[in-house]
Amino acid sequence: MRKWRANPWAVLVTLSLGFFMTLLDLTIVNIAIPDMMDGLSATLGQTLWTVSGYALTLSALIITASRLGDLRGPRNLFAVGLAVFTLASLACGLAPTPTALIAARVVQGLGAALLTPQTMTLIVAVFPAERRGTAMGIWGTVAGLATLSGPTLGGFLVSALDWRWIFFVNLPIGVAALVLTFLVVPDIRPGRAHRFDLTGVGLATGALFCLAFGLQEGESYHWGAGIWALLAAGATLAAAFLLHQRRRQDREPLVPFALFRDRNFTSMTVLVGLVSVAMLGLVLPFNLYLQSVLHLSAVKAGLVLAPSSLVSMTVGPFAGRLADRIGGKYLLLTGLICYAAGIIAIACIAAPGTAWFAFLPATLLTGLGVGCIIAPMSTEAMRNVPRHLAGAASGVNNTVRQTGSVIGAAAVGALVQGRLAAELATGKTYAAAFTATLHTTAILPVAVLIAGALVCLLLRPRTALPAAAPAATAQPATAA
C-alpha cells in the first residue's frame, strides 16, 4: 500500500466512495417511504422527516465543516465524517421507532456534512491543474450517479430484502473507505495556524437552517405565518453573516469574497444550484408517476431510471477530460440542452397507459445531459481557485448544491400537491390527474435549465495554453 499512498487516483477512489454514500442517501430513502411507514407504524409526516432531517443537517453545517477542514486537515475531517456516517447508518438500520430513525438520520447528516467539502479540497490538493478536469469529471460522475441511482438501488434493496438494507448497504462501503483513507490519503495540513470564526459559524448555521427548514417544510405547515417568519429570520441572519464576513475579509473569513472575482467560479456556483433544482424537479414527480400511475414496483421504477445513470456514468469522465482540453462552456450548453430535451420528451410521452419502455430514449437523453454537465461544471468552478482557498470554495459550492436540492424538493413538492388537488377537483381520475400534474411540473426543471444555459454564456472560454504552462502549474502541486 506504500506504493499507492498519496497516488492521486487512489485518493480519488477513496474520496468517491465516501462522497457517493452521502449523495446516495439523499435520494435512496424516497423510494422506501411506504415500506418504512408500514415497518415502523409511522405517519407520513414522521417518515418525511427522515428525508428532511438528513438534508437540513447537511445543508446547515457544510460551510462550518469546510472551515474545520482548513483548521484540522481535510483528511482528518473526512475520516471523522466517514466514521460518524457509517455508525449512524447502522443506527438507522436498527432503529426501532420513527423517532430513533429521525435522530439517526440527523447524525448521518452531520457525518455527511463533515466529509463532503473535504473531497473537493483534497482533489485540488493532489491533482495538478492540467489533470484536474479528468479528476473532477470522475468526481462529478459519482455525484450524478449517486443522485440518479438512488431510486434504482433503493428499489432493488426494498423489493429483494427490506427497507433497513438501504442503510446497511453503507456499512461495507464506509468501512472500506475509512481504511483506505488512512492508507492512501495524504495528511495535508495548513502551513500556518488558522482562526475559527465562531460568530460567522453561528450566523451561517442559523441562516441555512432557517431557510432550509422553511422551504422544505413550508407545504407541511400550509405556508403559515410561522414559516414566513422563519424565512424572514433566515434572510436576516444571512444578511448579518455577509456583513460580518465583509468585516473579516482580512482575517480568514468563512467565505472569502475574493472567490467571486473569478467570473467562472461565480457562474458555476449559480449553475450548481440551478442543476440541483432541475434534477429533483424531474426525479421526484417522475418516480411518483411510475409507481402511482403505471403501478410499477419500487425495483421496476428504479430500473426505468437506470439507463440515465449508466449513460451519465459513462460520459462523465470523458466530459471531464474534454473540459481540460477545450474548456467546459460548450459541453455545459450541450448537456443542459440534452437534459431539458429529455425532460420535455418524458412529459410528452407520459400518459395513464404508457408502457415503461417507451421512456428509454428520453432517459438516455437525460443521462447524456447529466454526464455533460456535472464534470465540466466542477472543473470550471475550481479551475482558477487558488489552493489556499480550495476549502472555502468547496464549502460554498457544496452549500449551494444542497440548498438547491432543498429548494427543488420544496418547489416541486408544492407544485405536485397544488396541481394534483386542482386536477382532481375537475373530476379526473387519479391517473389522469397525476399525468396532467407531471406535464405541468416539467415546466419547472426546463425553465431552470434554460436559466442555467444563460448563466453558461457568462463563462470565459478557455484559451489554448502554451506548452510551458502545465509545467508551471504543476510546480505548486509538487511542493504541496
Side-chain angles (χ1 to χ4, degrees), residues 271 275 331-341 369 372-373 449 452-453 456:
L271 184 62
V275 169
L331 281 170
L332 284 166
L333 287 171
T334 300
L336 291 166
I337 291 169
C338 288
Y339 197 23
C372 290
I373 291 171
L449 291 170
C456 284

Side-chain angles (χ1 to χ4, degrees), residues 123-437:
I123 288 172
V124 171
V126 301
F127 279 91
E130 69 273 11
R131 295 165 64 194
R132 203 173 292 155
T134 304
M136 286 292 187
I138 296 172
W139 181 86
T141 298
V142 169
L145 178 64
T147 304
L148 293 174
S149 65
T152 305
L153 180 59
F156 174 77
L157 291 172
V158 170
S159 299
L161 298 168
D162 182 73
W163 67 265
R164 295 181 183 274
W165 281 90
I166 64 174
F167 301 112
F168 289 149
V169 74
N170 291 329
L171 301 183
I173 301 174
V175 171
L178 191 59
V179 171
L180 286 172
T181 297
F182 290 105
L183 290 177
V184 303
V185 178
D187 187 10
I188 297 167
R189 296 297 185 97
R192 58 191 177 86
H194 287 281
R195 301 171 185 170
F196 192 63
D197 180 11
L198 283 175
T199 303
V201 164
L203 290 171
T205 302
L208 289 168
F209 178 81
C210 290
L211 292 171
F213 184 95
L215 291 168
Q216 193 156 290
E217 300 301 316
E219 190 66 27
S220 302
Y221 291 93
H222 309 291
W223 297 100
I227 289 295
W228 289 109
L230 199 63
L231 291 173
T236 303
L237 288 171
F241 171 74
L242 291 175
L243 289 173
H244 175 71
Q245 292 300 289
R246 182 181 179 184
R247 291 195 294 268
R248 287 186 61 89
Q249 287 303 299
D250 58 344
R251 289 175 292 159
E252 300 194 57
L254 283 175
V255 179
F257 290 172
L259 288 171
F260 299 99
R261 294 174 191 155
D262 177 13
R263 186 198 296 178
N264 284 14
F265 176 82
T266 304
S267 301
M268 292 301 95
T269 299
V270 173
L271 184 62
V272 75
L274 293 174
V275 169
S276 297
V277 172
M279 291 183 76
L280 282 175
L282 168 64
V283 172
L284 291 181
F286 188 42
N287 184 44
L288 288 172
Y289 162 82
L290 292 172
Q291 293 190 68
S292 64
V293 177
L294 300 188
H295 305 294
L296 299 182
S297 65
V299 67
K300 287 183 179 178
L303 288 173
V304 172
L305 297 170
S308 181
S309 304
L310 294 174
V311 172
S312 172
M313 178 177 64
T314 303
V315 171
F318 293 102
R321 190 177 304 171
L322 197 57
D324 271 342
R325 295 178 180 177
I326 66 171
K329 181 175 183 177
Y330 297 107
L331 281 170
L332 284 166
L333 287 171
T334 300
L336 291 166
I337 291 169
C338 288
Y339 197 23
I343 294 172
I344 293 170
I346 287 172
C348 292
I349 294 167
T354 303
W356 64 267
F357 51 81
F359 292 105
L360 180 60
T363 55
L364 292 174
L365 194 56
T366 59
L368 176 62
V370 172
C372 290
I373 291 171
I374 301 296
M377 184 167 60
S378 302
T379 303
E380 293 300 327
M382 301 298 289
R383 188 186 298 282
N384 302 318
V385 172
R387 188 152 312 195
H388 68 282
L389 296 180
S394 177
V396 170
N397 191 276
N398 281 288
T399 297
V400 172
R401 183 193 305 275
Q402 300 306 328
T403 304
S405 297
V406 170
I407 293 172
V412 76
L415 266 177
V416 167
Q417 293 185 58
R419 287 307 309 163
L420 183 59
E423 295 290 344
L424 289 171
T426 64
K428 293 179 179 177
T429 63
Y430 178 85
F434 197 95
T435 301
T437 299

Side-chain angles (χ1 to χ4, degrees), residues 4-18:
W4 288 101
R5 184 167 184 80
N7 179 283
W9 301 108
V11 172
L12 181 61
V13 169
T14 305
L15 299 177
S16 296
L17 285 174

Side-chain angles (χ1 to χ4, degrees), residues 440-473:
T440 303
T441 56
I443 296 172
L444 171 66
V446 171
V448 168
L449 291 170
I450 292 172
L454 295 176
V455 169
C456 284
L457 296 178
L458 299 175
L459 273 177
R460 288 191 172 95
R462 190 182 184 199
T463 55
L465 296 174
T473 57

